[in-house]
Amino acid sequence: MSDGGLDDLFSIADRPRAVEEPEAVDKRRSIAVTLAGNAAVIGLVALVIVAGLRALDTSISLLLLVSLLIGLRVVIYAARLAAPPPSPRLRSRIGAGPSPSGDALRAAVRRWEQNLDRAHSDPDLYARNVLPVLAELADERLRLRHGFTRASDPRRARELLGDDLWSALSGPGRRALKARDVETYLDAMERL
């Protein structure tokens, strides 16, 4: 950013234009290629299953087997469509760790556990990550249970939250996190 003021802002025409690179286009296979590939896979799997069943002196209707394999392929395709998007790459180390095994709730809880562990030694992290979430939770509890937020009725909110939690949320400061303080804050929010 420049500090030149409005002259720099409106003098865009004087500057040479930067050539924009086209964005990477997601190359998708055509439907015909996809269907042919799926048909080939289903045919090969059906062939292997029929050969295995014949080796065991067992038989199955080929129509039933192919329809089961097509159904399985449709379920796999639907599961792939419903899968969550990949998690974004983080610039900081906050929340980073081994990739989750697919359970998003477990990953979120693990990420918060790591953030809270780091917040014990880093007051800036506590003020940046933990206090805003506690404030949001307190506002949401007040809104749901009593019909107001800290901003709309500060006097009643202070009475319900208590002086300790109110002062922590309204003037966060940069003090270190103590486990007993967080327990006290959470107890106060649960009483709402």
Side-chain angles (χ1 to χ4, degrees):
M1 295 186 87
S2 69
D3 295 316
L6 293 176
D7 292 333
D8 283 345
L9 179 65
F10 292 113
S11 66
I12 293 175
D14 299 338
R15 295 182 192 157
R17 294 185 78 182
V19 177
E20 294 182 16
E21 296 181 23
E23 294 182 14
V25 179
D26 185 21
K27 294 183 180 179
R28 302 183 93 184
R29 292 187 283 175
S30 69
I31 294 177
V33 172
T34 303
L35 289 177
N38 284 332
V41 168
I42 289 172
L44 287 174
V45 171
L47 182 67
V48 169
I49 291 174
V50 167
L53 289 175
R54 289 219 176 144
L56 296 173
D57 291 331
T58 307
S59 65
I60 186 170
S61 167
L62 190 59
L63 183 62
L64 176 65
L65 179 64
V66 169
S67 54
L68 286 174
L69 291 173
I70 290 173
L72 178 64
R73 182 64 187 127
V74 168
V75 167
I76 291 171
Y77 179 73
R80 185 177 296 151
L81 287 178
S87 59
R89 299 271 181 190
L90 300 175
R91 291 183 186 174
S92 66
R93 297 292 302 158
I94 298 170
S99 64
S101 61
D103 187 0
L105 180 60
R106 186 178 310 263
V109 168
R110 208 175 287 132
R111 185 175 61 246
W112 269 102
E113 286 175 347
Q114 291 171 353
N115 283 346
L116 288 173
D117 285 342
R118 287 188 193 116
H120 284 290
S121 60
D122 186 3
D124 289 334
L125 182 68
Y126 170 70
R128 263 190 340 262
N129 290 345
V130 177
L131 282 179
V133 174
L134 287 176
E136 287 179 30
L137 287 172
D139 282 339
E140 188 66 15
R141 296 278 297 212
L142 287 170
R143 186 186 67 77
L144 289 174
R145 302 278 170 101
H146 302 284
F148 62 91
T149 62
R150 290 179 305 131
S152 65
D153 193 354
R155 185 188 57 79
R156 285 183 56 202
R158 186 176 188 140
E159 290 173 4
L160 289 171
L161 293 173
D163 288 332
D164 291 336
L165 181 57
W166 176 263
S167 62
L169 296 179
S170 61
R174 295 285 185 219
R175 60 191 176 98
L177 174 67
K178 295 181 181 157
R180 69 171 188 263
D181 292 340
V182 174
E183 288 178 17
T184 305
Y185 301 158
L186 292 176
D187 288 341
M189 285 196 295
E190 286 177 359
R191 280 183 272 135
L192 290 178

